[in-house]
């Protein structure tokens, strides 16, 4: 069993990416590199994703169906709200 565990752990690929969030006044970069951690981004927070390592996956969950008109596509428009 120990050799099986060692073989499995040697195949695990560590992946990561950064989430940059801003409330219009402050900017933070959060480095996500653990598959068991999540990040809640509330409303009216500008976010961007950056620095994806090979094989990284970002899963986004939402509380309501996607509506194009509910989102800002331009940071300048967001900052003027």
């Amino acid at each position: 069993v120990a050799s099986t565990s060692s073989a499995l752990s040697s195949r695990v690929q560590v992946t990561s990416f950064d989430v940059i969030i801003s409330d219009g006044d402050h900017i933070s970069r959060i480095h996500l590199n653990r598959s068991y951690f999540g990040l809640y981004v509330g409303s009216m927070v500008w976010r961007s994703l950056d620095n994806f390592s090979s094989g990284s996956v970002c899963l986004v969950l939402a509380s309501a169906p996607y509506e194009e008109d509910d989102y800002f596509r331009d940071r300048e428009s967001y900052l003027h709200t």
Side-chain angles (χ1 to χ4, degrees):
V1 174
S3 62
T4 304
S5 296
S6 297
L8 289 175
S9 65
S10 67
R11 288 187 226 150
V12 174
Q13 180 182 4
V14 177
T15 62
S16 63
F17 62 92
D18 295 342
V19 180
I20 299 96
I21 58 172
S22 172
D23 64 1
D25 294 322
H26 303 92
I27 297 175
S28 297
R29 179 180 290 264
I30 299 138
H31 184 70
L32 296 175
N33 62 356
R34 299 286 188 264
S35 61
Y36 48 84
F37 283 149
L39 178 65
Y40 173 78
V41 179
S43 61
M44 293 305 295
V45 175
W46 185 264
R47 65 101 194 113
S48 59
L49 305 173
D50 187 28
N51 200 26
F52 277 80
S53 67
S54 179
S56 292
V57 175
C58 176
L59 173 66
V60 177
L61 304 175
S63 60
Y66 176 78
E67 292 289 336
E68 175 76 24
D69 294 337
D70 290 345
Y71 293 87
F72 290 99
R73 296 288 172 211
D74 179 291
R75 184 165 164 66
E76 291 304 315
S77 297
Y78 162 76
L79 291 173
H80 289 101
T81 59

